[in-house]
Amino acid sequence: MSTDTETRARDEAEGARTTPGDPAGPPAEAPLGTGAAANDLPGRGAWRRVAPQARTFLRRRLRPLVRLGAWSLLESGQTFLGGYGVARAMDDGFLAGRTGVGLAWLAVGALAVLVGGLATRGVFRHLADLVEPLRDGLVRRVVARTLHVAVGAPARVDTTAVSRLTSQTEIARDGFAGLVLVTRSFVFTALGALVGLAALAPLLLLVVLPPLALGMALFTWTLAPTAVRQRQFLDADEAVSGRFGAAAAGLRDVTACGAEERIAREADVLIEDGRRASTALARWAAARNLALGVAGQLPVMLLLVCTPWLLDAGVTAGELLGALTFLTQSLLPALHTLINALGTAGTRLLVVLDRLTFTGDRHPSGGDRRPSGASGAPAAPPAKPVPTPNTHSPDPGPGPHVALRGVTFAYGPNARPVLQDLELDVEPGRFLAVVGPSGIGKSTLTGLVAGLLEPARGTVHVDGVPVRPPRGPEASGERVLIPQQAYVFGGSLRDNLTYLCPDGSLSHDAAVRRSAEAVGLGALVEQLGGYDGEVDPAALSQGERQLIALARAHLSPAPLVLLDEATCHLDPVAEARAERAFAERPGTVIVVAHRISSALRADRVLVLDGDRALCGTHDDLLARSPLYAELVGHWHPARP
């Protein structure tokens, strides 16, 4: 990363900071991956950590809270008039034979509903003043932490930051908004209902309050275990996201090492952990439903059972009907919404806020998230026999004969062919350079010869044998392909260089040193502290990765080498040195040229121009191919 980029990243990180204690700002400075929040599961601990910042956040937003409260008072009035109006309509109106009075009281209740609608409109208008600052602050916190890690340790790849930045911040936003709505609604609805019950007949509170309190106590008891299970569920989801992200980025390493089954087993374990966490969360959701039944249905049942006693005590029929209206139309729906919201969105919000504001750069299991390989994939050295020193390097011979007969290839059944009816012969031991405009099919050609692609028509043979897809490192005895984006894996430099020598025949120090020096790897060898030095793929430049891959191919016993712009990140001098090394190496070489100078070093040149393919020497093609003459005309001879 350049100095300017580092400066901008630090400036943005510092700019995202707010006063400590505000959940909308980053945490106070502390070593990443430390602290009590890193390993424990939420419950009381999570609440103790989140509550102080939550109180600070709300204190700083008293004006939106006051406005929400003012609009919510209208809902209390709606609730009160709804039940009280029904009671008066029965006792003072219909039961007393005064229909007009009854209808008037019902009209009052209807008017209260309209007022409640206006209150809801006002609540939503001011809700954003609370919700959006929370989300913005959490996004700033996640971005600041991610930038801090990226600038301070470029080799560390935190694939779970995407989950925190997108999924978890949106969970926090939606959960907080829902929680504010339902909590406010329940508080002011319950206030209106309880005041209404007391105004009708205080005896009604003796019947309604005990089961309501018992249900709320049961529900409160389920909150901490539900939060624990919610944390485990999010841990499992984040672990799956991180594992699949790392596996996708390191897919070539996984395939090359034959680790597909191992990665699949690890993924199965994580998926099973997620299933168990989801099942446990569902069990506690069932317990929450039991609490809801006690708090929501038992008061109605007790009210009906106690009706004779209440009538004997002087409670009128209208007051009983008003009490049922308070319970069924106002209090119990609000309670149902509150319990479900707190049991799902509430615990999820607590967990997410705890993770986003306190959890450092640690894996849910408590370990640091540090990629150990080139791209986060398992970076253990590839499994292979222990190299046996051998002072005799096998001579791979003059090289194989490569023949393409009538080869046609297209990327899709209805796509235009990239190569059509291609005829090509590469004689044993020849150095062939392939040139042409971008997208003309040069890389496709190397893929066909390597066996990575299969022609729609025609055949590809190497020494008379049809080309088959390579099967792991053992295929290195046949051919080796180095693409533009060369890759290395975590481990020693020696492991990287000898990876394509599984029998150890070329793994002795002299052979390794000759190949490294031939392609110009000496400076990097010294920088890493010798061939046993540890390679950190993320700390290498693209050119250094290409040099390691080129030395690996040069050392391999493969008689056919395919270089698909494998020197594109090298300067002209380094490119010339590497290509000369392969030209002097026994075997057949096919190079997709990055610079036209590669064609001058080749025995023969293949020109792909989209309509036809011409193969010949440099001087021959200057006369026969206008495209080749044009490409050469843009080349600067002063370059190697």
Side-chain angles (χ1 to χ4, degrees):
M1 181 179 289
S2 67
T3 303
D4 290 342
T5 305
E6 289 181 6
T7 303
R8 286 195 300 271
R10 291 193 184 100
D11 290 344
E12 287 199 23
E14 290 298 322
R17 298 185 183 279
T18 58
T19 306
D22 189 341
E29 293 294 333
L32 291 177
T34 62
N39 293 318
D40 72 328
L41 293 172
R44 293 183 179 178
W47 175 248
R48 284 196 300 267
R49 290 189 296 272
V50 172
Q53 292 202 41
R55 287 193 293 268
T56 301
F57 176 81
L58 294 176
R59 277 200 303 269
R60 292 177 178 176
R61 288 155 184 87
L62 288 178
R63 180 174 297 180
L65 286 173
V66 170
R67 290 174 178 172
L68 284 175
W71 282 105
S72 299
L73 278 175
L74 294 178
E75 289 192 22
S76 294
Q78 173 196 348
T79 302
F80 177 84
L81 291 176
Y84 192 82
V86 168
R88 296 280 68 85
M90 290 297 296
D91 289 339
D92 300 338
F94 301 120
L95 293 180
R98 292 183 291 179
T99 305
V101 174
L103 292 175
W105 275 109
L106 292 181
V108 170
L111 181 62
V113 173
L114 295 178
V115 174
L118 292 176
T120 302
R121 179 175 178 271
V123 165
F124 274 97
R125 191 167 59 188
H126 296 290
L127 182 64
D129 295 337
L130 276 179
V131 173
E132 296 307 322
L134 177 74
R135 177 188 178 277
D136 294 345
L138 292 175
V139 168
R140 287 196 301 268
R141 178 186 292 269
V142 173
V143 171
R145 178 182 295 149
T146 304
L147 287 174
H148 176 77
V149 173
V151 172
R156 301 179 68 180
V157 180
D158 185 5
T159 55
T160 61
V162 176
S163 173
R164 293 198 299 272
L165 186 61
T166 57
S167 174
Q168 295 186 32
T169 54
E170 287 303 316
I171 287 175
R173 175 183 179 272
D174 295 343
F176 181 60
L179 203 60
V180 169
L181 282 176
V182 300
T183 302
R184 173 206 57 81
S185 178
F186 174 77
V187 169
F188 287 94
T189 298
L191 176 64
L194 295 177
V195 170
L197 288 172
L200 291 176
L203 282 178
L204 295 172
L205 294 176
L206 295 179
V207 177
V208 171
L209 284 180
L212 183 64
L214 176 61
M216 292 300 294
L218 287 174
F219 169 68
T220 304
W221 172 71
T222 67
L223 285 178
T226 302
V228 170
R229 302 305 182 271
Q230 188 72 59
R231 173 70 175 259
Q232 291 172 342
F233 177 76
L234 286 176
D235 283 350
D237 178 70
E238 214 174 71
V240 170
S241 173
R243 169 55 64 186
F244 277 97
L251 191 58
R252 291 187 297 179
D253 289 333
V254 171
T255 303
C257 299
E260 295 94 335
E261 292 185 3
R262 172 187 167 187
I263 296 299
R265 286 195 302 270
E266 292 177 353
D268 287 342
V269 171
L270 293 177
I271 292 172
E272 178 61 22
D273 289 344
R275 186 197 64 79
R276 285 197 297 266
S278 178
T279 302
L281 188 60
R283 291 195 186 101
W284 282 102
R288 184 176 68 246
N289 289 334
L290 174 63
L292 178 61
V294 173
Q297 302 302 323
L298 195 55
V300 177
M301 295 176 60
L302 285 178
L303 187 63
L304 295 176
V305 169
C306 295
T307 295
W309 174 73
L310 291 171
L311 291 174
D312 292 341
V315 177
T316 65
E319 290 169 344
L320 285 173
L321 185 58
L324 284 173
T325 302
F326 280 129
L327 289 177
T328 60
Q329 301 301 311
S330 299
L331 185 59
L332 300 187
L335 177 64
H336 185 280
T337 304
L338 177 71
I339 287 180
N340 282 326
L342 285 177
T344 54
T347 55
R348 188 164 52 204
L349 176 63
L350 176 63
V351 170
V352 170
L353 288 178
D354 189 38
R355 294 178 72 81
L356 295 180
T357 58
F358 288 95
T359 302
D361 188 37
R362 295 182 67 86
H363 189 272
S365 63
D368 290 339
R369 294 193 194 98
R370 290 190 177 93
S372 54
S375 51
K384 60 180 181 181
V386 177
T388 303
N390 189 336
T391 58
H392 300 286
S393 299
D395 183 0
H401 172 252
V402 179
L404 283 76
R405 298 289 179 261
V407 170
T408 296
F409 179 85
Y411 290 95
N414 299 318
R416 180 179 178 181
V418 180
L419 299 174
Q420 188 165 9
D421 299 325
L422 177 62
E423 299 282 338
L424 178 65
D425 279 285
V426 185
E427 297 298 326
R430 292 290 190 180
F431 188 116
L432 174 73
V434 184
V435 300
S438 297
I440 205 67
K442 304 187 296 295
S443 295
T444 301
L445 174 61
T446 60
L448 289 165
V449 177
L452 301 177
L453 301 174
E454 184 177 350
R457 294 197 309 270
T459 59
V460 182
H461 288 79
V462 175
D463 269 349
V465 179
V467 169
R468 296 285 184 267
R471 299 294 180 186
E474 64 273 12
S476 62
E478 306 168 6
R479 56 194 178 273
V480 58
L481 167 66
I482 304 299
Q484 299 177 35
Q485 300 296 328
Y487 73 98
V488 297
F489 50 83
S492 70
L493 179 60
R494 186 188 305 277
D495 288 333
N496 272 276
L497 297 180
T498 61
Y499 174 54
L500 297 180
C501 307
D503 61 354
S505 59
L506 293 174
S507 301
H508 54 86
D509 289 344
V512 172
R513 185 169 56 254
R514 280 196 300 270
S515 290
E517 292 175 353
V519 302
L521 192 64
L524 183 59
V525 173
E526 183 177 352
Q527 176 184 327
L528 295 176
Y531 294 99
D532 293 320
E534 287 296 311
V535 173
D536 180 1
L540 299 178
S541 68
Q542 292 282 3
E544 290 169 335
R545 294 185 190 184
Q546 283 191 333
L547 284 175
I548 292 176
L550 289 167
R552 177 193 299 156
H554 189 277
L555 180 64
S556 77
L560 173 59
V561 175
L562 306 167
L563 304 179
D564 182 10
E565 295 197 38
T567 58
C568 63
H569 295 291
L570 304 181
D571 59 60
V573 174
E575 179 185 58
R577 178 174 181 173
E579 288 185 355
R580 278 196 298 268
F582 281 96
E584 296 168 358
R585 175 187 183 274
T588 302
V589 182
I590 298 178
V591 174
V592 173
H594 178 64
R595 298 179 179 92
I596 200 65
S597 54
S598 297
L600 273 69
R601 289 188 287 268
D603 299 323
R604 295 179 69 80
V605 181
L606 174 66
V607 182
L608 299 177
D609 62 6
D611 295 325
R612 58 178 181 163
L614 293 177
C615 189
T617 64
H618 169 72
D619 294 333
D620 178 42
L621 290 174
L622 282 177
R624 295 173 54 204
S625 173
L627 173 61
Y628 186 70
E630 181 182 356
L631 293 172
V632 172
H634 289 291
W635 174 61
H636 298 278
R639 297 180 181 178

